C-alpha cells in the first residue's frame, strides 16, 4: 500500500536528513503529491491526487515563505498547470468540458464565479497546452490525428500550426518569454523528426531528422 506520502525540498549536495518538509496530509493517507515551480520562480504548484483516481486537486505556496493554499480542493475533475501571469494561474481542465478547455484563475479571488475560460471546449480533444513566447500552443486530437493551434493569452485565435502531414505531433514546450519551441512529428511513413517552430512568426524548420536509406515521400 502506497500511503502517507510526504513532499520534501532537497538541496543538491546536502544529505537527505536535511531535507525540508513542504507538505503532508496525515488526515488522508491516500493522498499523493507532485510539485513544480512556476517559470517565474515565485510559486510552488502542488498536484494532489488520491489512489488511482484521475481527478486531482491543486495547491500552491509562495516559494520563499507562506503556507500551502488549497486553490482547487473539490477533487471534481482533472487539472494541469500550464503557467502563470503573476498571481493568475492557467489550467487545462475537463471541469465542465469533457474534451478540455483552458481556464484562468486569479489566486487573489479564486472563486469559481471568477474563473475565465481562455480556450473553450471544441469538438476535438484538447490534449495539452503550453505557454511559449507570450502565447498558448494548444495540441488537439482531431479525427485520430494531431492538430495544433496558437492562441493569444486572452484566447484570441492566431493560427494553425502547419504539420508535415497526417500523423502524431508532440512536444511544444518552451519558455513564456522566448518564441522558440520544439516538437516531434511522425506518421505511418515518416520516422520521428524534430522541428523548431517560432511562435511569433509561424516559421517552422527541421531541427533533427533521422538518416534513412529510402524516400518516405
Amino acid at each position: 500500500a502506497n500511503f502517507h506520502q510526504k513532499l520534501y525540498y532537497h538541496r543538491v549536495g546536502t544529505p537527505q536528513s536535511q531535507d525540508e518538509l513542504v507538505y503532508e496530509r496525515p488526515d488522508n493517507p491516500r493522498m499523493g503529491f507532485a510539485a513544480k515551480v512556476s517559470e517565474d520562480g515565485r510559486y510552488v504548484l502542488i498536484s494532489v491526487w488520491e489512489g488511482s483516481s484521475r481527478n486531482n486537486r491543486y495547491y500552491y505556496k509562495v516559494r520563499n515563505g507562506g503556507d500551502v493554499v488549497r486553490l482547487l480542493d473539490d477533487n471534481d475533475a482533472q487539472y494541469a498547470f500550464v503557467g502563470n501571469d503573476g498571481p493568475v494561474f492557467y489550467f487545462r481542465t475537463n471541469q465542465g468540458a469533457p474534451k478540455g478547455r483552458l481556464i484562468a484563475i486569479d489566486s487573489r479571488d479564486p472563486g469559481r464565479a471568477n474563473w475565465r475560460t481562455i480556450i473553450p471546449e471544441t469538438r476535438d480533444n484538447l490534449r495539452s497546452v503550453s505557454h511559449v513566447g507570450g502565447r498558448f500552443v494548444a495540441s488537439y486530437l482531431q479525427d485520430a490525428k494531431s492538430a495544433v493551434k496558437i492562441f493569444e493569452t486572452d484566447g484570441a485565435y492566431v493560427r494553425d500550426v502547419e504539420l508535415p502531414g497526417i500523423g502524431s505531433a508532440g512536444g511544444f514546450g518552451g519558455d513564456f518569454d522566448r518564441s522558440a519551441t520544439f516538437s516531434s512529428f511522425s506518421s505511418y511513413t515518416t520516422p520521428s523528426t524534430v522541428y523548431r517552430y517560432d511562435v511569433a512568426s509561424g516559421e517552422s524548420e527541421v531541427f533533427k531528422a533521422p538518416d534513412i536509406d529510402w524516400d518516405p515521400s
Side-chain angles (χ1 to χ4, degrees):
N2 195 10
F3 291 160
H4 299 288
Q5 290 193 32
K6 297 180 181 181
L7 181 65
Y8 282 88
Y9 176 72
H10 175 77
R11 293 181 182 274
V12 175
T14 63
Q16 186 178 351
S17 60
Q18 294 182 11
D19 290 359
E20 303 170 24
L21 179 64
V22 176
Y23 195 67
E24 64 175 329
R25 286 292 294 273
D27 61 310
N28 190 338
R30 291 172 53 83
M31 280 187 169
F33 313 104
K36 67 182 298 182
V37 177
S38 60
E39 195 171 339
D40 61 8
R42 294 176 59 184
Y43 303 97
V44 178
L45 282 301
I46 305 171
S47 178
V48 183
W49 64 90
E50 291 187 40
S52 59
S53 172
R54 293 182 129 191
N55 294 346
N56 66 321
R57 299 172 166 90
Y58 248 100
Y59 303 161
Y60 76 93
K61 74 184 300 291
V62 178
R63 186 180 177 191
N64 294 322
D67 298 326
V68 171
V69 178
R70 300 184 189 182
L71 181 67
L72 297 166
D73 202 29
D74 291 333
N75 200 39
D76 61 336
Q78 299 173 33
Y79 298 91
F81 176 71
V82 173
N84 69 299
D85 182 6
V88 177
F89 298 157
Y90 300 108
F91 292 93
R92 177 177 57 87
T93 181
N94 62 359
Q95 190 278 329
K99 293 186 179 180
R101 62 176 176 145
L102 181 71
I103 63 173
I105 301 176
D106 191 327
S107 61
R108 297 165 297 186
D109 194 7
R112 291 197 178 214
N114 302 316
W115 293 7
R116 291 186 294 118
T117 296
I118 305 299
I119 302 176
E121 181 184 31
T122 69
R123 63 178 293 272
D124 301 320
N125 191 340
L126 181 61
R127 304 299 294 272
S128 67
V129 182
S130 55
H131 191 196
V132 181
R135 288 173 167 169
F136 291 119
V137 183
S139 299
Y140 295 87
L141 182 63
Q142 181 186 79
D143 299 329
K145 68 180 187 300
S146 291
V148 184
K149 301 177 183 295
I150 307 297
F151 296 90
E152 300 287 6
T153 54
D154 63 359
Y157 168 79
V158 178
R159 73 176 79 91
D160 283 10
V161 175
E162 293 187 14
L163 300 177
I166 297 174
S168 299
F172 295 102
D175 301 324
F176 71 90
D177 58 350
R178 297 184 180 182
S179 62
T181 182
F182 293 84
S183 64
S184 63
F185 179 85
S186 62
S187 71
Y188 287 117
T189 58
T190 306
S192 184
T193 301
V194 178
Y195 290 83
R196 182 187 186 277
Y197 182 80
D198 191 294
V199 173
S201 67
E203 296 180 357
S204 179
E205 61 183 2
V206 174
F207 181 77
K208 181 67 175 178
D211 294 325
I212 55 177
D213 59 2
W214 61 287
D215 181 2
S217 66

